[in-house]
Amino acid sequence: QKEVEQNSGPLSVPEGAIASLNCTYSDRGSQSFFWYRQYSGKSPELIMFIYSNGDKEDGRFTAQLNKASQYVSLLIRDSQPSDSATYLCAASESKIIFGSGTRLSIRP
Amino acid sequence: DAGVTQSPTHLIKTRGQQVTLRCSPKSGHDTVSWYQQALGQGPQFIFQYYEEEERQRGNFPDRFSGHQFPNYSSELNVNALLLGDSALYLCASSLGWGQGTKPLHFGNGTRLTVT
């Protein structure tokens, strides 16, 4: 069974700090990796995707990929209360498989 | 630019009944995927349609079936509903298939309750 694992949290981070979210995947054939944000009662929305080893930055968000360690992470700089949500990590070799999500809470 | 639209928003059914959920993909997208999301869980992949054919399937029984129409819209059908089928059903669209995985764009989902 191909899996994507995330710590369910909740992860509590003070406002203005860096939030670090982590994810591991089991399928070494995975080529594409995604981070989605899901507010309670809403559908997932795409934050970032990454295909190559290394870092990819977009505004306050940085995705990091290490294929050798089968590890993906998302850093959120200058965390805001509006960043409080569940963050879903996903990996794909052909179909996109999601983890169960990490609940992030930004405390003022 | 129209996003992914799903209908209905909410649905209540009785055990043993059948249900059909509908989805129109984002403008310009041609691939539709369906996911089931139980409370507190991540989305679970049901299947994916491209060029009116089921291309990928997750670990769901044959009670779950689907269809894609020439205009790229899609339906998800679930027969012989069980209490455990209660969940948020998400439709997601993307562009292309078989040439690397493109990001999914999700609709607002259909909340199905089976009593």
Side-chain angles (χ1 to χ4, degrees):
Chain A
Q1 177 74 8
K2 298 173 183 178
E3 293 183 343
V4 175
E5 299 285 344
Q6 295 182 257
N7 188 319
S8 63
L11 175 65
S12 181
V13 173
E15 185 175 355
I18 296 175
S20 178
L21 303 162
N22 305 313
C23 166
T24 59
Y25 59 95
S26 63
D27 182 7
R28 284 197 170 273
S30 296
Q31 298 290 328
S32 308
F33 305 88
F34 308 88
W35 283 100
Y36 285 80
R37 177 174 63 198
Q38 187 172 26
Y39 293 113
S40 181
K42 303 295 185 182
S43 61
E45 58 178 320
L46 180 69
I47 298 174
M48 293 192 69
F49 56 91
I50 185 167
Y51 300 142
S52 303
N53 273 332
D55 296 0
K56 179 181 178 181
E57 186 174 320
D58 183 2
R60 296 188 296 114
F61 299 95
T62 299
Q64 299 174 317
L65 173 60
N66 184 326
K67 289 188 177 180
S69 300
Q70 295 176 245
Y71 181 88
V72 192
S73 65
L74 179 70
L75 301 178
I76 306 175
R77 289 180 298 280
D78 188 24
S79 295
Q80 303 296 311
S82 60
D83 294 326
S84 297
T86 295
Y87 288 80
L88 299 164
C89 173
S92 172
E93 191 241 337
S94 55
K95 55 183 181 281
I96 295 180
I97 303 299
F98 285 83
S100 58
T102 298
R103 280 191 298 133
L104 175 65
S105 176
I106 307 300
R107 57 182 190 271
Chain B
D1 183 17
V4 180
T5 58
Q6 291 186 243
S7 63
T9 305
H10 295 86
L11 205 50
I12 300 175
K13 290 287 190 178
T14 304
R15 272 180 301 176
Q17 287 188 316
Q18 178 264 344
V19 68
T20 297
L21 310 182
R22 296 177 174 82
C23 172
S24 292
K26 177 181 170 68
S27 178
H29 285 182
D30 55 8
T31 303
V32 173
S33 302
W34 287 92
Y35 287 81
Q36 179 196 66
Q37 188 175 26
L39 204 59
Q41 301 297 314
Q44 298 295 309
F45 177 75
I46 303 175
F47 41 55
Q48 180 184 66
Y49 278 84
Y50 174 73
E51 290 189 338
E52 302 178 50
E53 289 189 17
E54 183 182 294
R55 300 292 180 161
Q56 301 272 353
R57 189 176 182 94
N59 295 325
F60 280 80
D62 292 344
R63 299 186 297 108
F64 290 77
S65 63
H67 190 77
Q68 185 180 35
F69 299 94
N71 66 353
Y72 308 121
S73 67
S74 177
E75 289 182 349
L76 164 66
N77 300 291
V78 187
N79 294 322
L81 284 167
L82 303 173
L83 294 179
D85 294 331
S86 296
L88 179 67
Y89 287 84
L90 294 163
C91 172
S93 71
S94 55
L95 179 62
W97 181 83
Q99 297 178 4
T101 307
K102 302 298 191 297
L104 298 173
H105 295 258
F106 284 91
N108 289 329
T110 294
R111 173 72 62 185
L112 173 65
T113 301
V114 182
T115 63

